[in-house]
Amino acid sequence: MHRDSLTAAYNSKPFGTKLEVTNVENLKVCTVRVTDRMGVKGSGKIDLSYAAFGRIANHGQGRIRVKIREI
């Protein structure tokens, strides 16, 4: 996963799947492509690249609540 690409790590969708990720607090939306897997002990549902996270939240927030929809 490259930090400047709009990509994500997600365990239950095939590589190449496009997902629409919405920040539930500010309703900002970003479309990402699944390019990686999260570890088995992953503590979240999805791991966004640096660029994708920056589209929907401030980097200083760390973790946010999101809604995920396959497109």
Side-chain angles (χ1 to χ4, degrees):
M1 191 164 67
H2 193 273
R3 67 179 266 139
D4 296 330
S5 300
L6 297 178
T7 57
Y10 196 76
N11 285 340
S12 63
K13 297 291 182 187
F15 291 142
T17 302
K18 285 188 174 182
L19 302 173
E20 180 182 85
V21 182
T22 304
N23 181 333
V24 297
E25 290 185 17
N26 63 17
L27 302 180
K28 289 185 179 179
V29 178
C30 181
T31 300
V32 297
R33 184 177 304 274
V34 176
T35 60
D36 204 356
R37 297 282 182 241
M38 297 175 59
V40 175
K41 295 180 181 178
S43 57
K45 291 184 178 182
I46 191 168
D47 186 11
L48 298 174
S49 67
Y50 186 84
F53 189 89
R55 293 262 176 118
I56 62 172
N58 294 323
H59 290 288
Q61 287 184 268
R63 292 175 154 247
I64 59 171
R65 291 184 60 223
V66 296
K67 178 180 167 188
I68 303 167
R69 181 176 74 90
E70 185 174 348
I71 55 173

